[in-house]
Every structure is written in structure tokens, then in C-alpha cells.
Amino acid sequence: QVGLFGNVGVSGLVSGVVVNGANISGGDQVGGIAGYSVGKIYRAGVGGSSTISGLNGGYDNVGGIVGAQAKPGIVEECFVDSGVTVQSTGGGQLGGIAGSSTGTAATAGNFSTIKNSYSRATVSGNLDRFGGMAGYSTYTQYLNNYFAGISNDTNGTGLERGIVGWDSTGTIISGNIYDATVCTPASSYCSSASQPEALGVSTALAKSVTTYVGAGWDFATVCTTPGQVMTGQYPTLIWQAGQAAFGTPPTAVNSITYSGGNGSVGTPYLISNANDWNAFVFDRSRWTNTANNFKLTADLDFSGAVLNVIGSSSYPFTGQFDGQNHTISNFTMSGTLQVGLFGNVGVSGLVSGVV
């Protein structure tokens, strides 16, 4: 039980702490924040050139945040950055967030939770069980997390998956994403056939806000605004980022509203101000439908804000947009592929009358 906190008890709370440039090692249950926890770790992180090592030579539990978590433990809004290495000299259960996370039943108070967190760590060793979130899991819920790190199985025979390495029983996976491009080995780790609840995507999609909004992520209160996601970056957490760029996407598609209209040809959705435009950006389910129509009713000046691209190779814009010769001005937009006010307009899409 080695970490900044060796053991966090059931009523314990660790929050608001970031570990940088640390070298943490122990025999078993080793984590960047806690070795073992049945309490709550909230808004904590591990960054810099930190190394977290299991030295037991046997079955180590090593994680970026916590070595071993047990019911009713919670890891929430935590991060492990790309300069961090999680490793074991022997076999074991290694995870980007937790080495293992366990509960006893699918009832309140009897399961563990990892939610709204991410890891970009390099996980290395004789990986018997590796997961982007946890190496081993029973009765744990994983809600809206992502992994974009690297697994390096020195033995080549470990069980590796994008979110949970070994799902014994009672695991709930919802809204979890991993970058299947940067992960190795592709033959095992990047295959989600046995864990379809975890969504493996390309690096471009792992840096696209539409991927996360589509998975039900909360950019209003948890994650950074999509302007930061769409400029070639993975999402981070609001408590890390401070002031965010323009726009907060709605937390669900059914919460998207415009100044008027129902999307029909005669009564298109009306985009009259910046809030309407922000809704339009995240209304993917509608603008990928050729039957839906959108109309700009006023000039929009974004005062230098970062805007998000509408449409991609995976989700081209196929609706009908009429700018009515209005202007959209004073914004910033950047990226690596298909960048423009409309990144990709599909074969049935129409964009007209915008300056």
C-alpha cells in the first residue's frame, strides 16, 4: 500500500492534489495518489515525468491513481498524463487509473466507481492483465472515461483491453473511449470485440468533440470546452483548464434548442446568435440527416473565440444550410485534417449564402 496516501479509508476524501515528477515504488498496491482506497479520490492527478512501479516480482496491483480500489471506492475527475509510466517488474494487474477495482454486488454501497477520468500513461511490464482504466475488475462501474496511452507488454502474452483488462463479473462500462491508434500491440489491445461497450477510435476521433458528446459526456461541468478538443488535443478536465474557450455543448441531444423552427424546408431551424450556433455545432444527429434544414438569420461576430469544425470524414454534414448572405466573423479554428467552417460536406449536403 504505497502512494502519496498509503490507505484511504471508507470515510476518507482526497481531493485537489496533483503529483508531478514523482518516483513511487512498492511491492504491491502501488498508486500515484493512493496505494489502496475504499474512500473517494476526487479531482486529483499525476503528471510530469512520474514513475509508478510495482517491485514485488509477482502479482502486483499498480495504477496511475490507485493501486487497488475496493467497494465503495470512487475515483472521479482524475487524470494521469502522458509523461507518466506505470510499470511492474513481474506479472500483475496494471491500469492507467487503477491496478484493480473491485466490489461485491451490483447494489449501492457494494460496487466501486471510476468516472469522468482519463489516462495517457505508458503502462509497461509483464502485463498479465492490463486495462486503460483498470487491469482487473469486479462489480465496478466505469462512466465516461478515456485512455490514450501506450501499453508495452514485455512478455507479449498478457490480456490487454482498452478499458478493463479482466472483467470478472458485474462490471458496467458506459461512455468509455480509447485511442486505438497509439496503443500497442494492435492484435490484442486494440481489439474491442470482447468488450464492445468500450469504443476504440482513431486519434483524430479521439480528439474530436463529437465522439465524446455522442457518448454522453458532460462538457458543461466536467470537461474542457470543445474548442480545446478540436484544436488537435485530447479533452481535459475543467478544474485543470481554468477559463475555457467559447461554447459549452449541451449534455444531451434532446436539450439542443434554436431560436425557432422544426428543421423542415418551410420552417428551418433558425440560427440567430452565438448560442444557436453552438447548438448547431453539436447537433450532429440532425445535421447528418439530409432532411433537416438550417437558416442563419443574423451576422455572427465571435470576438476571437475558438470555434469547432462542423462535419468530419466519419460524420459529414449532409443537411441543408442557408446563410442568407450573412457573415460569420472574428473566430479562430485549427486542426490537422478537414478544417473549415464545415470540415466535410457530404454528397447530399448543401451550404449556401454564407460569407
Side-chain angles (χ1 to χ4, degrees), residues 94-96 98-101 114 129-143 145 147 159-174 176 178 188-189 191-192 194-195 197-198:
L94 284 78
S100 62
S101 184
I114 298 176
R129 298 167 179 173
F130 163 76
M133 289 296 107
Y136 174 80
S137 176
T138 62
Y139 291 109
T140 298
Q141 54 181 356
Y142 300 85
L143 309 174
N145 307 290
F147 179 75
L159 179 59
E160 305 169 60
R161 294 197 180 108
I163 300 298
V164 176
W166 180 273
D167 172 13
S168 179
T169 186
T171 293
I172 298 171
I173 299 175
S174 177
N176 290 264
Y178 65 95
S188 60
Y189 174 75
S191 171
S192 60
S194 58
Q195 201 167 78
E197 307 94 331

Side-chain angles (χ1 to χ4, degrees), residues 40 54 107 115 154 158 169 171 180 185 195 208 213 221 231 247 264 290 311 320 337 345 348:
K40 183 172 184 177
T107 54
K115 64 185 293 188
T154 57
T169 186
T171 293
Q195 201 167 78
S208 169
V213 172
T221 61
T231 53
S264 65
T290 189
Q320 317 297 304
L337 181 67
V345 179
S348 59

Side-chain angles (χ1 to χ4, degrees), residues 260-270 291-295:
N262 59 20
S264 65
V265 174
T267 313
Y269 294 116
L270 301 181
N292 284 319
N293 297 263
F294 305 84
K295 181 180 287 187

Side-chain angles (χ1 to χ4, degrees), residues 273-291:
N273 51 51
N275 288 332
D276 286 342
W277 183 266
N278 187 58
F280 177 44
V281 167
F282 298 102
D283 201 2
R284 189 183 75 192
S285 64
R286 292 193 181 106
W287 53 247
T288 53
N289 184 338
T290 189

Side-chain angles (χ1 to χ4, degrees), residues 1 18 22 26 119 121 126 217 250 254 294 306 322 350:
Q1 297 181 352
V18 177
S119 177
N126 182 359
W217 281 47
N254 60 14
F294 305 84
V306 177
D322 180 5
L350 172 64

Side-chain angles (χ1 to χ4, degrees), residues 115-285:
K115 64 185 293 188
N116 297 334
S117 298
Y118 72 85
S119 177
R120 303 178 199 158
T122 294
V123 183
S124 180
N126 182 359
L127 307 179
D128 288 326
R129 298 167 179 173
F130 163 76
M133 289 296 107
Y136 174 80
S137 176
T138 62
Y139 291 109
T140 298
Q141 54 181 356
Y142 300 85
L143 309 174
N144 295 358
N145 307 290
Y146 82 83
F147 179 75
I150 298 172
S151 66
N152 179 22
D153 182 2
T154 57
N155 189 41
T157 60
L159 179 59
E160 305 169 60
R161 294 197 180 108
I163 300 298
V164 176
W166 180 273
D167 172 13
S168 179
T169 186
T171 293
I172 298 171
I173 299 175
S174 177
N176 290 264
I177 294 161
Y178 65 95
D179 186 334
T181 304
V182 301
C183 308
T184 56
S187 60
S188 60
Y189 174 75
C190 292
S191 171
S192 60
S194 58
Q195 201 167 78
E197 307 94 331
L199 178 62
V201 299
S202 67
T203 298
L205 288 178
K207 295 179 178 181
S208 169
V209 69
T210 55
T211 302
Y212 299 90
V213 172
W217 281 47
D218 179 3
F219 281 85
T221 61
V222 176
C223 297
T224 55
T225 59
Q228 292 164 300
V229 180
M230 293 300 291
T231 53
Q233 302 294 323
Y234 296 105
T236 54
L237 301 166
I238 283 177
W239 69 267
Q240 295 176 259
Q243 184 63 39
F246 170 81
T248 302
T251 57
V253 171
N254 60 14
S255 69
I256 294 175
T257 60
Y258 296 94
S259 288
N262 59 20
S264 65
V265 174
T267 313
Y269 294 116
L270 301 181
I271 302 170
S272 303
N273 51 51
N275 288 332
D276 286 342
W277 183 266
N278 187 58
F280 177 44
V281 167
F282 298 102
D283 201 2
R284 189 183 75 192
S285 64

